[in-house]
Amino acid sequence: MNSYVTKKAGKYWPSKVMKKMAWVNSEKIYKDAAKNPVKFWGKLAQEGLTWEKPWESKNTYVQKLPYFWWFKGGKLNFCVNALDRHLDKNKTALIWVPEPVKEKIIKLTYRQLYDKVNKFANVLKKLGVKKGDRVAIYLPLIPEALISMLACTRIGAIHTVVFSAFSAEALKARIIDGDVRVLISADGYYRRGKKEDLSKKVSQAIKGTKIKKVVMVRRLSKKKNYSGKFTSFDKEVEKADSFCKPETMNSEDPLFILYTSGTTGKPKGVVHDTGGYATQAYYTTKWNFNLHEDDVMWCTADIGWITGHTYAFYGPLLTGNTTLIYEGAPDFPNPSRWWKIIEQNKVTVFYTAPTVIRMYMRFGDKYINKYKLKSLRILGTVGEPIDKEAWGWYFKKIGKSRCPILDTWWQTETGGTLINTLPGIGPFVPTIAGKSFPGTKHVILNKDKKQTKGKEVGFLVQLSPFAPGMLHGVWNNHKKYVETYWKKFKNKYDTSDGAYLDKGLIRITGRTDDVMKVAGHRLSTAELENAIDNHPSVNESAVVPVPDKIKGEIPIAFVVLEKGKPSQELEKQLKKQVDKEIGPTARPSKVFFVRNLPKTRSGKIMRRILKSILKQEEPKGVSTLVNPDSVEEIKKIVSQK
Ligand code: WT7
C-alpha cells in the first residue's frame, strides 16, 4: 500500500509517491510567489477560473485600505465555474449520506446537479429574487443546501447560510440585519436517530421580519402541504424551467455573507466577493488536498460554517471533483459510522476538526481498528489548535501512519486556508500550522508592533497584498469592519490570534480577544453574556472559557442576580435562555451565582481573574480591582461545587 509520508530526522515529509502526485512539490513556489504576489494570483485566477471578460492588468489588485479588490472589472459567474464547465466529464459532483442507515445514499453527477440548480434558480427568480438581493438559507446538510446556494450564485443573489442548530432568535437577527425577503429551510432533519424539527423555529424567526416567501424542503415528511408565505421546495422545482441563464457578475460583487462572532454582543456579517474568493477557494483546495480525477473529498463541516462553504461545497466543485457530505452525527448508530462511510465511498481526502478527533479518541480504538481506510491519502484539521496527542492518534489510527496531516489555519474572514503545510512540500509537524500560502504573508508582532524574536508569542497579522479570499467588509457596518480588523495595526489585517515562530514555521496559540472556540464553534463572551442578561432575574454576568478534554474549551458563566435566589432550577433556566437566544452549542456547562464580579475602577469586568480561579491558579492583579473581596467569595463558591 502506498505511503504518502516518510520519516526523516524525526519529522514527517512527503514520500516520493506524494511528491510525484502533488500539484506543488518544491519550496521554490514560496519565493517565486513572494517576488510578485499580485502577478502570481493574477496568473492563477486566469488559469483556474472561467472568465466572461478579463480585467485590465493594472486592476489585478487595487487597494484603498481598509478595502481592496482583486481582478477588478473582470466578469464571471460563480455557478458557471462550479458547474457548467464540468458538465462534459460525466462525473459525480456530490455524494450525500443521509443519517438513517436504511436510507439510500444519493449521488448527483455534475449534470444532475446542474439541472436542479438551474430549476431552483428559476424558482428564486419567480419568487422575485434579483441580483444583489439577500437570500437566507437555514438548512441541514442535505443536497438542497448546495442546490440553494448555487442557485443564488447563478442569479447573482447573495446567500447567507445560518447554522441549522442555531435558535429562532439567531436566525431572526440575521434575517433582519441582511434585510432578507426569501428564506429557504426544511421541516427538519435527522440527528442521532431522532427527528429534529425546524418548522417551529422558522415560524418564530420570521415574525416581525420582512420575509415574503419561505421555501421548505420536505425532509421528514412528504405529506405536508404548504400555503400562504410557505411553499414546498420539490413542488416548486417540478414546475420550473430547466435552464436559467447565469447572471454576469463583477469579480468584486458580493457572493455571500456569513455571520460570525466577534468581541461584541452581535455577530457580524462577513462579506465575501466573487472572483477573489473563487480563486483562493480553487487553489487552496487543489494544492492543499492535492485533488485529482479519482479523488473523493470529505470535509465534515456543516454548511453553517465557512469550512462547509469552502471545502465541503465550493472548493471541490470549482476544481471539478467529487465531494461527500453526511447529514448526521458521527456516533450514529455507533462510533464506527464515519470510518464506514470512508470505506464505502472510497474517500481519499478527509478534513475535520480536532474536537471530533478527541471525541473519537474517547470512544476507544475498537470502533476504528477493524477499518483499514486504504483509500485515504491526505488528512486535514481546522478550527482550533490540535495537541500532540490528538495529532498522533489521528495520524496512526485514521491515517495508519501513511497520510500527511495538514493543520490548516484560517478564519471565516479569510474565506480559505492561509497557513498550512503543502502536502508535496512538508514537513508535517504536530501542533504546527506551517507557512503562509504562496502569495500571502503573515508576520508576528509584539506589543511594540515589532517582529517577535525567537519563540516569543505575539500577534499574528497579515500584510498587503491581502489574500484574494479575504473579506470585503462587514455587511452594513463599515465601523465594525475598521475597528475589528484594521485599528490595532496600521494597514495590516489583525487576525486576533496569537502565534509564534518555530524554525520559520508558524504555531498558532489561540485567540487574543474575548472569543472562544467551543467544539470548534466560534462564540463571543459578550454574545453569551447578553443572552444571560436578558433573563429577568439576572443583573449582570461574565462568561469565560475553561479548557475541556473534548470540546477544547467550554463556557462557564458567573451570574449576579437582580432578584430571586440561586437554585438549580434557575441554572437550568439560564442554560435554556442561551439555547433560545443562540443555540445549544453555546450553552454554558456551569453557572456560578456570585454576589459581585471582579471589576476594575473603570467598571471593566476582569474575566482573566475568573479564568485563573477556575484553573485554580492564584489570580494576578487583584489589587487593581475596586472590589478585591469579590475574588475570595468567588474562590469559595467555585471550590464548593
Ligand atoms: C479561528 C477562526 C477557519 C475555519 C473554521 C474556523 C481558530 C482556525 C486553526 C488552526 C489553531 C485555529 C483561530 C481562528 N483556528 N484554524 N489550524 N489552529 N487555531 O473559522 O469560526 O472563523 O474561527 O479559529 O483562533 O481565528 P472561525
Side-chain angles (χ1 to χ4, degrees):
M1 209 190 310
N2 276 334
S3 180
Y4 301 102
V5 287
T6 155
K7 205 167 182 179
K8 250 193 305 188
K11 271 191 197 152
Y12 291 102
W13 299 87
S15 67
K16 272 195 191 133
V17 191
M18 176 52 89
K19 275 223 170 271
K20 209 167 148 202
M21 63 190 264
W23 289 107
V24 176
N25 61 13
S26 157
E27 285 267 1
K28 219 170 131 284
I29 186 127
Y30 291 106
K31 266 200 189 138
D32 289 349
K35 271 183 212 149
N36 192 339
V38 170
K39 207 167 147 199
F40 171 81
W41 283 112
K43 189 162 174 264
L44 293 189
Q46 225 161 23
E47 288 173 1
L49 301 180
T50 303
W51 296 84
E52 278 170 49
K53 194 184 140 226
W55 59 95
E56 283 181 55
S57 77
K58 68 172 194 322
N59 291 335
T60 304
Y61 180 75
V62 181
Q63 174 175 293
K64 214 174 143 204
L65 290 180
Y67 293 94
F68 49 92
W69 302 267
W70 281 92
F71 323 123
K72 202 172 164 117
K75 293 194 187 292
L76 77 168
N77 177 276
F78 189 87
C79 185
V80 166
N81 278 276
L83 292 180
D84 304 35
R85 61 186 186 147
H86 309 307
L87 290 181
D88 300 341
K89 286 206 285 192
N90 190 26
K91 195 183 163 85
T92 303
L94 179 75
I95 302 174
W96 176 60
V97 184
E99 191 190 71
V101 185
K102 288 207 181 105
E103 214 176 306
K104 247 179 71 192
I105 290 178
I106 288 183
K107 290 186 183 177
L108 295 176
T109 61
Y110 272 92
R111 168 67 65 182
Q112 289 167 324
L113 183 59
Y114 172 86
D115 288 341
K116 289 179 192 289
V117 168
N118 271 272
K119 285 186 175 164
F120 194 63
N122 282 328
V123 171
L124 289 177
K125 273 180 148 175
K126 197 192 90 183
L127 298 178
V129 179
K130 297 210 168 52
K131 178 173 172 170
D133 287 353
R134 276 78 51 211
V135 173
I137 298 175
Y138 186 53
L139 284 174
L141 258 183
I142 55 177
E144 286 83 355
L146 176 58
I147 295 165
S148 307
M149 289 161 74
L150 281 168
C152 288
T153 69
R154 194 161 190 89
I155 61 171
I158 303 168
H159 62 66
T160 168
V161 178
V162 181
F163 182 38
S164 55
F166 274 159
S167 67
E169 305 269 330
L171 173 60
K172 182 173 184 162
R174 285 155 177 79
I175 287 173
I176 293 174
D177 190 71
D179 192 17
V180 176
R181 310 294 159 100
V182 171
L183 168 67
I184 303 156
S185 190
D187 54 356
Y189 55 96
Y190 292 93
R191 190 80 190 170
R192 292 210 166 85
K194 282 207 295 246
K195 290 181 173 182
E196 291 283 339
D197 177 75
L198 279 181
S199 313
K200 235 176 48 218
K201 289 202 278 179
V202 168
S203 302
Q204 268 172 24
I206 62 171
K207 268 186 217 145
T209 69
K210 290 183 186 161
I211 290 286
K212 285 210 177 79
K213 268 286 176 213
V214 186
V215 188
M216 294 290 276
V217 176
R218 299 190 289 182
R219 167 76 186 112
L220 298 181
S221 157
K222 288 269 176 284
K223 286 194 199 120
K224 178 118 181 110
N225 281 314
Y226 292 105
S227 59
K229 275 187 189 174
F230 291 81
T231 178
S232 86
F233 192 100
D234 50 333
K235 281 193 181 165
E236 290 291 344
V237 167
E238 241 168 58
K239 290 182 283 182
D241 283 344
S242 55
F243 177 72
C244 172
K245 194 173 167 290
E247 192 73 39
T248 301
M249 304 298 286
N250 288 321
S251 173
E252 64 274 21
D253 282 339
L255 183 71
F256 65 85
I257 305 172
L258 187 59
Y259 286 81
T260 190
S261 296
T263 43
T264 54
K266 241 179 90 194
K268 47 185 183 291
V270 167
V271 180
H272 283 288
D273 78 342
T274 309
Y277 170 81
T279 304
Q280 197 175 319
Y282 181 100
Y283 280 96
T284 53
T285 305
K286 184 163 165 164
W287 289 0
N288 289 340
F289 303 114
N290 201 23
L291 296 184
H292 293 273
E293 268 316 298
D294 60 340
D295 275 293
V296 175
M297 166 143 183
W298 182 13
C299 161
T300 65
D302 191 272
I303 41 137
W305 315 113
I306 190 73
T307 315
H309 282 60
T310 309
Y311 299 106
F313 285 172
Y314 287 154
L317 294 184
L318 288 167
T319 56
N321 288 93
T322 304
T323 182
L324 182 146
I325 57 170
Y326 164 56
E327 177 186 32
D331 53 352
F332 185 84
N334 61 55
S336 287
R337 186 70 189 270
W338 275 15
W339 321 128
K340 224 178 196 154
I341 294 175
I342 292 180
E343 291 218 330
Q344 262 176 358
N345 298 282
K346 298 202 170 51
V347 170
T348 58
V349 175
F350 183 63
Y351 190 29
T352 194
T355 181
V356 209
I357 296 169
R358 292 190 298 260
M359 187 178 84
Y360 270 112
M361 285 168 73
R362 277 282 177 95
F363 288 147
D365 295 351
K366 66 172 191 248
Y367 293 106
I368 170 112
N369 281 344
K370 68 173 179 189
Y371 295 94
K372 299 217 166 57
L373 307 178
K374 277 196 256 179
S375 56
L376 288 177
R377 288 184 197 148
I378 289 181
L379 304 175
T381 72
V382 60
E384 47 173 327
I386 178 165
D387 57 277
K388 236 181 174 160
E389 201 191 342
W391 196 100
W393 189 89
Y394 194 28
F395 184 76
K396 264 203 210 114
K397 298 290 169 181
I398 313 301
K400 312 288 182 193
S401 306
R402 301 182 301 113
C403 307
I405 296 179
L406 315 180
D407 177 354
T408 62
W409 175 91
W410 57 298
Q411 308 178 303
T412 302
E413 292 84 346
T414 70
T417 61
L418 275 183
I419 302 176
N420 58 268
T421 302
L422 289 169
I425 297 179
F428 316 107
V429 190
T431 77
I432 289 202
K435 286 189 186 173
S436 303
F437 197 82
T440 70
K441 192 171 179 188
H442 296 86
V443 289
I444 302 169
L445 302 181
N446 62 21
K447 271 195 203 128
D448 305 324
K449 303 184 181 159
K450 300 254 160 54
Q451 285 204 31
T452 53
K453 291 205 181 86
K455 287 191 175 180
E456 186 191 343
V457 176
F459 302 98
L460 180 71
V461 301
Q462 195 186 156
L463 305 185
S464 164
F466 300 98
M470 294 293 292
L471 78 165
H472 280 247
V474 170
W475 183 256
N476 256 336
N477 207 333
H478 169 73
K479 206 172 138 223
K480 210 173 216 179
Y481 175 64
V482 176
E483 274 171 10
T484 314
Y485 308 106
W486 303 98
K487 216 169 156 188
K488 196 154 162 192
F489 303 96
K490 194 164 178 262
N491 295 345
K492 296 179 181 76
Y493 169 82
D494 178 8
T495 67
S496 297
D497 271 313
Y500 66 82
L501 277 179
D502 190 345
K503 299 195 185 80
L505 301 176
I506 297 171
R507 184 173 195 265
I508 310 291
T509 54
R511 299 289 297 197
T512 55
D513 56 2
D514 284 327
V515 166
M516 55 191 136
K517 294 304 295 268
V518 180
H521 302 321
R522 179 163 156 183
L523 297 167
S524 84
T525 53
E527 214 179 329
L528 263 131
E529 288 163 6
N530 279 355
I532 294 172
D533 295 351
N534 282 343
H535 189 281
S537 300
V538 173
N539 173 267
E540 63 174 353
S541 65
V543 173
V544 289
V546 289
D548 178 78
K549 276 223 164 75
I550 293 179
K551 292 184 170 173
E553 290 186 321
I554 45 172
I556 306 280
F558 292 85
V559 172
V560 178
L561 290 178
E562 193 162 296
K563 53 179 187 225
K565 282 210 183 92
S567 68
Q568 276 183 344
E569 171 53 30
L570 191 52
E571 176 165 357
K572 247 197 234 154
Q573 277 183 25
L574 294 178
K575 289 179 181 175
K576 268 209 184 127
Q577 175 86 12
V578 173
D579 286 5
K580 184 175 146 257
E581 299 213 10
I582 308 172
T585 30
R587 189 186 301 160
S589 66
K590 220 176 196 67
V591 178
F592 291 111
F593 295 102
V594 299
R595 274 192 310 159
N596 286 297
L597 293 169
K599 284 186 186 171
T600 60
R601 276 167 216 290
S602 58
K604 201 174 156 242
I605 298 172
M606 292 297 276
R607 296 188 186 79
R608 188 170 48 74
I609 288 182
L610 296 171
K611 263 192 217 172
S612 304
I613 296 175
L614 286 171
K615 283 195 207 156
Q616 290 176 351
E617 291 167 4
E618 204 40 47
K620 286 191 195 112
V622 175
S623 59
T624 62
L625 300 175
V626 271
N627 53 355
D629 299 350
S630 63
V631 175
E632 285 311 312
E633 188 217 16
I634 294 170
K635 268 192 195 163
K636 239 195 226 149
I637 291 171
V638 169
S639 69
Q640 276 163 5
K641 271 227 180 173

